[in-house]
Amino acid sequence: MEEVELAFQQKVDISEAIATSELVAFNCTCDREIILAIATKPLNYRRYNKSGASFAKVKTKTGQDYRIFYTVDDTLINLANIKNEPFNIHEAQFLTGN
């Protein structure tokens, strides 16, 4: 099988948005823009059983705060702030329409 070298270019700098937070989900739109979900509180995404197996948590006892960002022409825009969300966000998707 032939090896192919991929070259990536930075679209936008997200370092400021995630400086004190944790990137938990990202995706691309059909217009090649990026959407990000960033948790602002310490993560509580895993639970462990007695044997040490790890499972994803769907819901937490204490809510999480999220900031949702997307890019427009290489500019990072804060789309929404979600406060005290009881469900853990694992996916980010931008839906267009009216």
Side-chain angles (χ1 to χ4, degrees), residues 34-74:
I34 300 168
I35 185 161
L36 310 166
I38 298 172
T40 61
K41 294 180 184 177
L43 296 181
N44 185 7
Y45 272 41
R46 309 293 304 166
R47 65 179 176 86
Y48 301 89
N49 67 12
K50 292 178 184 178
S51 68
S54 171
F55 302 93
K57 285 183 181 179
V58 175
K59 192 174 179 182
T60 62
K61 291 180 183 175
T62 60
Q64 177 63 268
D65 294 345
Y66 296 95
R67 294 182 301 154
I68 310 300
F69 289 91
Y70 74 104
T71 60
V72 173
D73 299 326
D74 302 336

Side-chain angles (χ1 to χ4, degrees), residues 2 6 9-11 24 28 33 36 40 44 49 56 62 81 83 90:
E2 182 182 341
L6 297 176
Q9 294 178 334
Q10 181 174 329
K11 180 168 179 65
V24 294
C28 294
E33 298 296 346
L36 310 166
T40 61
N44 185 7
N49 67 12
T62 60
N81 294 315
K83 298 287 186 188
H90 298 275

Side-chain angles (χ1 to χ4, degrees), residues 15-35:
S15 60
E16 215 174 287
I18 63 171
T20 59
S21 305
E22 191 78 32
L23 177 64
V24 294
F26 67 93
N27 211 331
C28 294
T29 69
C30 60
D31 296 328
R32 297 183 180 155
E33 298 296 346
I34 300 168
I35 185 161

